[in-house]
């Protein structure tokens, strides 16, 4: 959220909603569709070995088509790859992305 949150803020244009997503998306005022996407992305990121066909079915029930499901999976996977590369190489965010006194990170 430190780095990509800026893009989310620009896209959503609702600081309170972005702050709620950043704090705990499960309690944020978002649509069922958005929650399904974030649940899937979170599970793919944190517990990918637990994914099952029902997770994709949940996205379909929330209104996503196969092309959108593929997009969610690809974007999530790509960001996970890039973040792990950056962490693995010790890359830190530029100073303007990092609040004073904290270490960089995605």
């Amino acid at each position: 959220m430190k780095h990509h949150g800026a893009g989310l803020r620009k896209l959503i244009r609702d600081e309170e909603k972005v702050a709620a997503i950043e704090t705990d998306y499960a309690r944020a005022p978002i649509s069922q569709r958005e929650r399904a996407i974030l649940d899937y992305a979170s599970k793919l990121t944190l517990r990918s070995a637990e994914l099952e066909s029902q997770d994709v079915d949940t996205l379909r029930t929330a209104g996503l088509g196969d092309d959108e499901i593929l997009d969610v999976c690809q974007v999530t996977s790509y960001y996970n790859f890039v973040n792990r590369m950056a962490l693995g190489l010790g890359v830190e965010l530029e100073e303007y992305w990092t609040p004073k006194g904290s270490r960089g990170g995605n």
Side-chain angles (χ1 to χ4, degrees):
M1 286 299 296
K2 288 181 180 82
H3 184 264
H4 302 294
L8 186 61
R9 283 177 177 80
K10 186 175 183 180
L11 179 68
I12 293 178
R13 296 182 184 167
D14 182 339
E15 187 59 39
E16 288 182 23
K17 186 174 182 179
V18 172
I21 292 169
E22 184 175 20
T23 300
D24 181 2
Y25 80 85
R27 294 176 167 216
I30 58 177
S31 69
Q32 176 191 3
R33 176 184 172 95
E34 292 166 328
R35 187 169 320 283
I37 291 169
L38 293 175
D39 284 343
Y40 177 84
S42 177
K43 190 170 184 178
L44 180 58
T45 299
L46 302 172
R47 303 181 326 277
S48 58
E50 298 175 18
L51 283 168
E52 38 193 32
S53 60
Q54 183 177 342
D55 295 303
V56 173
D57 292 340
T58 298
L59 292 172
R60 284 193 183 102
T61 300
L64 279 79
D66 288 344
D67 57 335
E68 294 170 306
I69 293 168
L70 178 62
D71 286 346
V72 170
C73 185
Q74 287 178 327
V75 169
T76 302
S77 298
Y78 174 73
Y79 277 93
N80 282 322
F81 169 75
V82 171
N83 287 335
R84 276 150 188 80
M85 288 292 294
L87 291 169
L89 296 172
V91 174
E92 294 190 20
L93 291 174
E94 293 86 357
E95 190 172 312
Y96 59 87
W97 291 113
T98 307
K100 291 184 179 188
S102 70
R103 186 179 183 282
N106 296 323

